[in-house]
């Protein structure tokens, strides 16, 4: 494949996704199986695949659907789960992860997908793609099963940075709302700020400041601010976008995942209890599978890095073909909606407004703008 | 009832629990039903009940099991869920909550139980019972369903204070380990410090400091320090005591509760899907009830306030008779084991050791003491 005038498409008008074949727990064969799955469902998608060509070419050759839809970038090195981000940034030039981001940087691809080491992927993404002007801390956003009509909430940050001040939280609100519009097709998403209670006097100082800031920009950025929300609202229906710092977000999603597996494990034990309960479990099996599918993390696989010049999707390290395919689909959807450009424009315009507000607004007028 | 030489027992040698009859969502009748349940199961328990006598006496008279086992303290006022803690501290002298704590302060009762406003209860407890010498921030500890052999982990702080520095986290570790020994009968509990990853270089500064401190005092305080744990370990089997600040702890438990109800709700929907799945649900009902019982929050109802001169149990605001009875049982168990006195002695001895360490220990010897 040669570079085309339209940087995001190949000669067949396909949208090209840059995929790191290495670094996932299941190895390159799961990644190739995943992109084959995506190729089958979606004729408008093409790939640049990064990793050792000797390994990848035979895997791709076995999938007829991928014929003519995959370009290769040969790389000898792999980022492992144990590699420290700082090491990878300094010495990772020959890794498949580095190469994967390079294709987005050069404009050969509209988005990157990697199953590798999260910390290294974020550090490399920040170095190679750079932060959007006006963004202090990029964030990782995920989709979380919820009682919402769209069945998922957006939650950010879930671990890009362990700290966030009030301005960072405002950025997260803007970026999360933009993501919900483009990823979940919500025209006017409801944004909530995670706290220990919904009363306005509760919580840490930076949260009270962020409450004021986010309220102020809600109308301009076209989202509804529902104020403080609690942990129980993450899987609930009070908001579509849950804003928090990376420390709290990371603990919350892992607690949620852990609780879901505890319930699953205990359900299994409960059904093994007696002869009758075993019979019941056989009859209940399709119902349980329906439930499992509804909350299957593989179906919504993909943390999106927000705040960079380009779309990067972090797939789960243990992703199988279904998981990789879901991450690729997300990259495609965001590319198709022009998300990256829209987000950049949104952040830039708010940045201007913030500077204006800082110059001209009196406390009185700020109060009126808020809610 | 008159005051006895043995301050924790009445003339029949019963252990006396001070119970706030007011402030719960279900009203005083649920509280009276709860203490009746406890009285039935446990002949060694007696009560002091706080609230308007006109309301309480008829409720108690209807339960024959409570005959001669309840003393009353008449109070006209009630702390509501909307009352601000600062207001209650200033003007709450006539409330049932205040009176409930007073019985512990005077030594009439060995522990207090209230279903009322958490913030107000903590503020009043700190003012009336005072913090233990050496404790900077008291904590609220709860039991959380887990895959452990004992079926529950202790987690603290879950919301007494939104901030905690390294020394506070050390105190939480000591208090949590002591609680696990006396409440869960674990001779040498495993203590974990909640973080975003288990590697020692991860997380916030105060967590790295706390890691060093807790490791240093693990042997002296007779617990095993397992280092950093993640959100998924809260319902897991990596530790028996999970230490974190009140902000993170509060978000984590509410996320866990929310996720469990989401799964429950979706399970219900899954079973309603078709005629066959409805049939399956009928057959599965005992298995599901077994599961529900296993993770029923009412069975482990009761956040314990740690770090005060006296035991205070915060029952869930929405507790029914089963919930109140569980909270009373916890207060009884802790009183019987002499928990309050043991904890005070433990905190005091570690406080001395800390001062010794600060005076004599070189960095080298500290390293050897740690792990």
């Amino acid at each position: 494949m040669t570079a085309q005038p339209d940087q995001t498409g190949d000669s067949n008008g396909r949208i090209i996704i840059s995929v790191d074949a290495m670094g996932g727990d299941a190895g390159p064969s799961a990644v190739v199986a995943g992109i084959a799955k995506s190729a089958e469902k979606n004729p408008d998608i093409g790939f640049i695949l990064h990793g050792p060509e000797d390994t990848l070419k035979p895997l791709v050759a076995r999938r007829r659907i991928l014929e003519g839809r995959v370009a290769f970038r040969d790389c000898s090195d792999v980022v492992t789960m144990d590699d420290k981000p700082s090491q990878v940034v300094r010495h990772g030039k020959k890794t498949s992860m580095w190469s994967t981001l390079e294709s987005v940087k050069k404009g050969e691809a509209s988005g990157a997908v990697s199953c590798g080491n999260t910390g290294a992927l974020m550090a490399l993404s920040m170095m190679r793609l750079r932060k959007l002007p006006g963004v202090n801390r990029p964030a990782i956003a995920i989709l979380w099963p919820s009682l919402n009509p769209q069945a998922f909430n957006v939650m950010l940050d879930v671990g890009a940075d362990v700290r966030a001040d009030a301005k960072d939280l405002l950025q997260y609100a803007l970026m999360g709302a933009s993501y919900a519009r483009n990823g979940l097709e919500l025209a006017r998403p409801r944004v909530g700020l995670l706290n220990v209670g919904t009363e306005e006097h509760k919580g840490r100082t930076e949260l009270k400041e962020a409450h004021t800031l986010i309220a102020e920009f809600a109308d301009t950025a076209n989202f509804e601010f529902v104020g403080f929300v609690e942990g129980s609202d993450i899987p609930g229906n009070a908001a579509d976008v849950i804003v928090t710092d990376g420390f709290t977000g990371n603990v919350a999603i892992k607690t949620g995942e852990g609780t879901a597996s505890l319930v699953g494990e205990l359900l299994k034990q409960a059904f093994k209890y007696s002869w009758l309960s075993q019979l019941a479990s056989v009859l209940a099996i399709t119902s349980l599978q329906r439930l499992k599918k509804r909350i299957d993390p593989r179906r919504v696989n993909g943390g999106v890095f927000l705040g960079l010049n380009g779309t990067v999707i972090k797939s789960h390290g243990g992703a199988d073909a279904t998981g990789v395919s879901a991450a690729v689909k997300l990259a495609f959807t965001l590319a198709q909606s022009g998300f990256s450009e829209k987000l950049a424009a949104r952040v830039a315009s708010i940045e201007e407004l913030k500077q204006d507000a800082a110059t001209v607004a009196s406390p009185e007028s700020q109060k009126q703008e808020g809610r």
Side-chain angles (χ1 to χ4, degrees), chain A:
Chain A
M1 196 181 68
T2 53
Q4 299 296 317
D6 173 8
Q7 295 189 317
T8 60
D10 69 358
S11 51
N12 302 307
R14 292 195 183 112
I15 286 179
I16 303 299
I17 306 299
S18 176
V19 178
D20 182 2
M22 313 305 288
D25 303 341
S29 62
V31 175
V32 173
I35 67 170
K37 215 166 176 155
S38 293
E40 215 162 309
K41 286 185 199 158
N42 186 344
D44 301 327
I45 195 165
F47 303 95
I48 306 178
L49 203 56
H50 306 260
E53 260 191 50
D54 296 352
T55 313
L56 301 183
K57 281 203 161 156
L59 289 172
V60 169
R62 280 211 291 273
R63 311 269 175 176
R64 192 172 295 169
I65 189 83
L66 291 177
E67 212 181 303
R69 292 170 73 173
V70 180
F72 296 90
R73 295 290 180 274
D74 190 34
C75 335
S76 50
D77 284 6
V78 174
V79 176
T80 69
M81 290 295 176
D82 302 324
D83 286 340
K84 286 199 181 169
S86 54
Q87 290 284 93
V88 178
V89 164
R90 255 173 288 154
H91 308 295
K93 216 168 174 179
K94 288 183 182 163
T95 61
S96 58
M97 189 183 275
W98 185 297
S99 178
T100 301
L101 295 169
E102 218 52 29
S103 285
V104 174
K105 188 177 159 74
K106 285 187 200 154
E108 293 176 340
S110 316
V113 172
S114 174
C115 306
N117 183 325
T118 310
L121 185 61
M122 180 48 98
L124 271 188
S125 298
M126 281 174 69
M127 183 187 62
R128 301 306 297 158
L129 302 180
R130 300 274 162 199
K131 293 184 280 185
L132 284 177
V135 170
N136 178 31
R137 299 177 208 261
I140 304 177
I142 53 136
L143 295 177
W144 188 258
S146 80
L147 290 170
N148 275 350
Q150 72 269 18
F152 297 100
N153 281 330
V154 173
M155 169 141 157
L156 76 167
D157 176 28
V158 298
D161 202 312
V162 292
R163 290 212 180 269
D165 65 17
K167 278 183 199 162
D168 298 325
L169 293 169
L170 169 63
Q171 291 290 0
Y172 296 173
L174 298 172
M175 299 195 297
S178 196
Y179 176 44
R181 251 194 305 276
N182 293 282
L184 296 179
E185 298 183 353
L186 297 170
R188 193 177 161 81
R190 295 166 300 162
V191 173
L193 183 59
L194 190 61
N195 199 351
V196 294
T198 53
E199 302 89 344
E200 295 206 8
H201 66 276
K202 280 208 172 176
R204 295 173 169 166
T205 321
E206 70 266 29
L207 288 176
K208 291 172 211 168
E209 285 172 32
H211 191 287
T212 310
L213 272 178
I214 297 174
E216 204 172 317
F217 287 101
D219 279 346
T220 322
N222 199 23
F223 62 79
E224 184 190 341
F225 182 47
V226 299
F228 288 137
V229 295
E230 300 185 88
S232 50
D233 296 317
I234 297 174
N237 188 16
D240 308 303
V241 177
I242 314 274
V243 171
T244 188
D245 65 274
F247 185 89
T248 312
N250 183 286
V251 169
I253 62 163
K254 286 180 183 165
T255 305
E257 282 169 3
T259 305
S261 11
L262 173 73
V263 173
E265 180 56 37
L266 296 178
L267 193 62
K268 245 187 255 166
Q269 287 176 17
F271 274 124
K272 271 186 199 153
Y273 187 75
S274 68
W275 183 85
L276 188 70
S277 62
Q278 281 175 29
L279 175 69
S281 79
V282 174
L283 282 171
I285 208 157
T286 53
S287 299
L288 293 176
Q289 277 170 345
R290 205 172 296 125
L291 167 67
K292 209 172 164 188
K293 198 178 165 195
R294 170 73 166 74
I295 58 169
D296 186 352
R298 296 179 310 166
R299 279 181 60 226
V300 288
N301 181 34
V304 184
F305 291 5
L306 298 175
L308 302 166
N309 292 296
T311 297
V312 179
I313 312 275
K314 166 64 176 79
S315 161
H316 199 285
D320 59 5
T322 307
V324 171
S325 174
V328 165
K329 186 185 171 192
L330 181 57
F332 178 88
T333 306
L334 293 177
Q336 205 180 28
S337 73
F339 170 61
S340 195
E341 298 74 23
K342 285 184 195 167
L343 181 64
R346 170 66 71 196
V347 169
S349 74
I350 294 287
E351 205 43 35
E352 267 172 44
L353 281 173
K354 254 161 65 187
Q355 282 162 7
D356 289 356
T359 329
V360 304
S362 68
E364 193 56 26
S365 70
Q366 286 186 343
K367 205 181 271 172
Q368 285 173 344
E369 279 171 47
R371 46 174 76 201

